Amino acid sequence: MWVQLEVFLQTLIAGILLGGLYALIGIGMTLILGVMKIINLTHGQLMMVAMYIAFWLFSLFHIDPYVSLLIAPPLLFLLGMFLQKALINPVLRVESILPHNQVILTVGIGMVLQNLATIFFTSDYRSTPVDYATDAWYLSDFWHNAPFELSLSYPWSVSFLLSVLITTALWFFLTKTDTGKSIRATAQDRDAAMLMGVNVGFMRVITFGLGAALVGAAGCLFIPIYYLFPALGSQFTLIAFVITILGGLGSTMGAILGGLILGVFESMTATYVGMGWAPVGRFAIFVAALVFLPGGVASLLKRKAVSK
Amino acid sequence: MKRFIPLIVLALLAVLPFLGLSSYVMHLFILVVMWSVSGMAWNLLGGYCGQVSFGHAAFFGLGAYCAGLVSFHLGLSPWWGFLVSVPFVAVTALIMGLIVLRLRGPYFVLATLALGEIMRITAENLTTLTQGNLGIMIQRTWVEKTAYYYIILALAALTFAAIKVLAESRWGYYFVAIREDQDAAESLGINTTLYKTIALAVSAVFTGFSGAFYMNYMGYIDPQVVFSLGDISILTIMVVMVGGVATYWGPIVGAVIMVLLAEVIRSLPYIGTAYQTLFGVLLIVIIIYLPNGLVGDREKLARLFGKKGAAA
């Protein structure tokens, strides 16, 4: 009995910690989707780039991955702005038969990034062997006669807390500053925002940069607890859009909840069904969300607000 | 005269094996024709009907596995895979259609992408049926390439004819109407869901044929190869994007370019590993400058290169 409870609680903790990090990835994606109305299928690859930056900073200069939070996201911000200005903006203006050209374009960008990473850094698995990687807090340290044992990994918890901190900072930025308000106005109604004097084109560039910086931050938080290889990007791109659909397109609150749900769900499938099936669970929940809850968690929140 | 161009091209292609080409060149021709089958199939759904699918690897892989498993578990000739794949692929397409065809735009793209990935992961994990990542190896029927070439050529001719007939029929106009404005099509009394499902099912069955041929020709498959997002789903899209969306010849031109590029680039020293980068750059350039592909934007090309482009 205790053993089962222990496994369950441990899985739940792992899921919530993972979900907190997923939320950060999802928020970047949902911001871009909300403002630009395009799916950024190169989101995970941007995270991979950030992870490589953190990795090289660690192995060449022994900069702690958490310190590179101050370096990698700003670089990603610039990269995102460049991609938006140089490649995506021109495509938005081109007339073509298919309306999904921008999506295919982001796939192309992702291919280039992933392949360049393979060429320059080889496809070896890498990690940053920080000396606190295996440290953890144990329940028995605090409660001596505990009937079961739970552990809370040190780097996972730090990553989780930092992720919460960044999300809070983003929330302040979006709700309290003029630029943040302009971004939200652009997402709500582009034409109206333009009429109110918002520089919509500039907001798009900023948003793409911001989304890239957020996923870059997520990369820095992931590298101490995960391993890194060039093809990792596509996996996280998939995760990012599952979160976005689960949360509701363009909703920040939804992305946070979606990330948490996905984290817990994945960790549960891994424990109770089997490691290999975790990705299937991820997509099953995704298709279920598309069919039964197309507005995502955000639509539930909205419905509640209306009925109040 | 214009009506006979497909027949002339077919006749020219049919005499190719008599030229005594090397086996490697024949291999390239087979790949080109196989990719043009996939491209033409995708073009029906993506180009004419406007439903951009990122999950055609699901059908390609399913076709390949039908052929492989028929031979592996039942001991039949893998060529039966063509027949067996039809019901499996069609039913999968219908189920997929139920889920994804009510979605629009970005939702549709993402849903197809996810379903393609689900198929891959399922094939990787159902080890009793598919041997998982070990893959399936079968005995190839012939060592010579000529027979394979004629089979895939016949298949391509069939696909070309089927899609031409379909696109020029009433249904084809419905497809284009759906692509241009789904709400307007709906209000004119077109049952959009029905016609999108038809386009998806036909497109899926032909993609499945292409996959079944791949199994027969290559003799080995595993989930990473035939359900691959990058090497199947996206390459199929690239074949059509480069060649020309919603044109008859676009996928064929695209297949020639993509296969040759892949082979040429991969054989170069040093640059070989960068072939995906070059593909990505090509895709980006095509989307920005020739969004309707080489065939679709040939007037634009002709203007760029003067008269020389117009003749090509």
Side-chain angles (χ1 to χ4, degrees):
Chain A
M1 209 320 246
W2 286 122
V3 176
Q4 274 159 5
L5 185 65
E6 184 184 318
V7 170
F8 178 77
L9 285 178
Q10 190 71 63
T11 313
L12 190 67
I13 291 174
I16 290 173
L17 292 179
L18 180 66
L21 293 178
Y22 277 0
L24 200 54
I25 302 175
I27 292 172
M29 180 99 157
T30 210
L31 257 186
I32 294 175
L33 195 62
V35 172
M36 322 235 322
K37 310 282 179 258
I38 71 166
I39 310 166
N40 177 19
L41 280 186
T42 184
H43 209 59
Q45 276 82 358
L46 289 172
M47 175 169 154
M48 179 221 28
V49 172
M51 284 173 90
Y52 269 108
I53 295 175
F55 169 78
W56 286 113
L57 286 175
F58 178 82
S59 40
L60 295 180
F61 306 110
H62 302 287
I63 295 175
D64 192 277
Y66 292 122
V67 179
S68 50
L69 264 183
L70 300 173
I71 306 164
L75 289 177
L76 264 281
F77 185 79
L78 294 179
L79 177 65
M81 286 195 3
F82 166 76
L83 290 179
Q84 152 71 15
K85 241 191 139 63
L87 301 174
I88 297 172
N89 254 350
V91 173
L92 289 175
R93 276 185 253 115
V94 168
E95 278 285 312
S96 71
I97 295 181
L98 287 182
H100 301 298
N101 272 356
Q102 311 97 358
V103 184
I104 304 175
L105 177 78
T106 61
V107 171
I109 297 171
M111 272 167 73
V112 173
L113 288 179
Q114 178 170 333
N115 192 232
L116 286 179
T118 316
I119 294 168
F120 289 118
F121 309 136
T122 73
S123 47
D124 292 346
Y125 280 55
R126 317 238 189 201
S127 60
T128 53
V130 284
D131 40 13
Y132 48 79
T134 51
D135 291 358
W137 291 298
Y138 293 98
L139 185 64
S140 52
D141 293 348
F142 303 99
W143 180 15
H144 289 291
N145 307 325
F148 52 84
E149 178 68 302
L150 289 177
S151 67
L152 193 60
S153 152
Y154 177 69
W156 276 92
S157 322
V158 172
S159 291
F160 180 81
L161 289 178
L162 282 173
S163 160
V164 172
L165 205 68
I166 293 169
T167 312
T168 320
L170 178 75
W171 183 79
F172 270 104
F173 171 72
L174 285 179
T175 49
K176 302 291 176 204
T177 64
D178 277 353
T179 319
K181 284 178 185 165
S182 309
I183 289 177
R184 280 169 45 226
T186 314
Q188 271 178 11
D189 190 329
R190 203 172 65 92
D191 296 334
M194 208 186 284
L195 290 175
M196 294 299 124
V198 173
N199 187 344
V200 170
F202 184 62
M203 284 310 140
R204 283 182 164 170
V205 178
I206 292 274
T207 309
F208 207 90
L210 197 60
L214 282 171
V215 79
C220 294
L221 297 179
F222 251 111
I223 185 113
I225 48 184
Y226 215 72
Y227 43 87
L228 167 62
F229 54 98
L232 162 131
S234 48
Q235 184 187 335
F236 276 96
T237 302
L238 294 173
I239 289 173
F241 78 66
V242 174
I243 297 167
T244 316
I245 296 290
L246 207 56
L249 297 185
S251 153
T252 319
M253 196 58 211
I256 297 173
L257 290 173
L260 285 173
I261 294 172
L262 186 70
V264 171
F265 188 80
E266 266 188 27
S267 133
M268 291 286 169
T269 7
T271 309
Y272 291 106
V273 187
M275 267 320 247
W277 288 99
V280 176
R282 183 188 300 161
F283 289 125
I285 205 174
F286 165 68
V287 173
L290 275 179
V291 175
F292 299 112
L293 197 63
V297 182
S299 68
L300 287 182
L301 294 175
K302 231 177 258 164
R303 213 177 295 163
K304 217 172 166 193
V306 168
S307 65
K308 253 183 217 164
Chain B
M1 187 58 206
K2 226 178 161 185
R3 288 175 50 209
F4 297 109
I5 291 178
L7 289 176
I8 295 168
V9 171
L10 184 66
L12 283 177
L13 285 174
V15 295
L16 253 175
F18 297 108
L19 296 179
L21 295 167
S22 75
S23 137
Y24 177 66
V25 176
M26 283 314 289
H27 171 70
L28 289 187
F29 270 108
I30 291 172
L31 284 186
V32 165
V33 181
M34 190 190 89
W35 276 107
S36 52
V37 172
S38 296
M40 284 188 281
W42 187 91
N43 197 18
L44 181 71
L45 181 69
Y48 291 100
C49 205
Q51 310 296 312
V52 173
S53 153
F54 273 73
H56 262 48
F59 308 123
F60 188 89
L62 202 61
Y65 265 96
C66 280
L69 294 178
V70 156
S71 157
F72 188 78
H73 284 300
L74 305 177
L76 294 170
S77 155
W79 294 105
W80 286 104
F82 281 95
L83 216 62
V84 176
S85 76
V86 175
F88 277 101
V89 172
V91 167
T92 311
L94 290 181
I95 295 172
M96 216 166 135
L98 267 181
I99 300 172
V100 299
L101 284 177
R102 49 172 112 186
L103 308 168
R104 285 192 194 183
Y107 289 95
F108 181 83
V109 173
L110 293 182
T112 51
L113 207 158
L115 284 169
E117 291 291 291
I118 288 180
M119 294 291 288
R120 176 175 61 82
I121 296 159
T122 310
E124 276 173 12
N125 284 288
L126 279 178
T127 35
T128 41
L129 184 68
T130 61
Q131 297 229 58
N133 281 330
L134 272 181
I136 287 178
M137 176 104 86
I138 57 163
Q139 191 71 44
R140 288 179 57 194
T141 322
W142 303 286
V143 184
E144 267 290 332
K145 307 253 184 220
T146 317
Y148 289 109
Y149 178 72
Y150 280 118
I151 289 170
I152 192 67
L153 192 62
L155 191 61
L158 177 72
T159 314
F160 188 92
I163 286 183
K164 198 166 156 65
V165 167
L166 207 55
E168 281 166 12
S169 71
R170 199 181 189 77
W171 288 5
Y173 290 104
Y174 289 163
F175 292 162
V176 175
I178 291 170
R179 178 187 77 200
E180 293 300 320
D181 191 335
Q182 191 171 328
D183 296 314
E186 186 94 49
S187 67
L188 288 175
I190 298 172
N191 185 344
T192 51
T193 314
L194 175 70
Y195 288 102
K196 282 197 285 185
T197 313
I198 292 173
L200 176 65
V202 176
S203 167
V205 166
F206 281 110
T207 312
F209 283 159
S210 182
F213 175 81
Y214 182 88
M215 172 83 248
N216 276 292
Y217 179 60
M218 292 296 185
Y220 171 78
I221 51 168
D222 72 46
Q224 308 273 2
V225 173
V226 289
F227 286 116
S228 159
L229 177 64
D231 292 341
I232 306 288
S233 291
I234 291 178
L235 195 57
T236 310
I237 298 174
M238 283 196 71
V239 161
V240 183
M241 292 296 300
V242 170
V245 177
T247 56
Y248 296 126
W249 295 99
I252 299 166
V253 173
V256 172
I257 293 171
M258 292 311 292
V259 170
L260 286 185
L261 262 187
E263 289 300 322
V264 169
I265 295 172
R266 265 189 264 193
S267 63
L268 292 175
Y270 305 118
I271 312 170
T273 41
Y275 85 100
Q276 269 194 326
T277 304
L278 295 172
F279 272 21
V281 172
L282 175 70
L283 188 63
I284 293 168
V285 169
I286 289 270
I287 287 174
I288 294 180
Y289 295 105
L290 297 171
N292 299 324
L294 289 175
V295 177
D297 276 333
R298 60 180 179 281
E299 281 153 20
K300 215 182 201 175
L301 272 180
R303 247 181 288 135
L304 273 179
F305 295 104
K307 287 239 161 114
K308 226 168 119 196

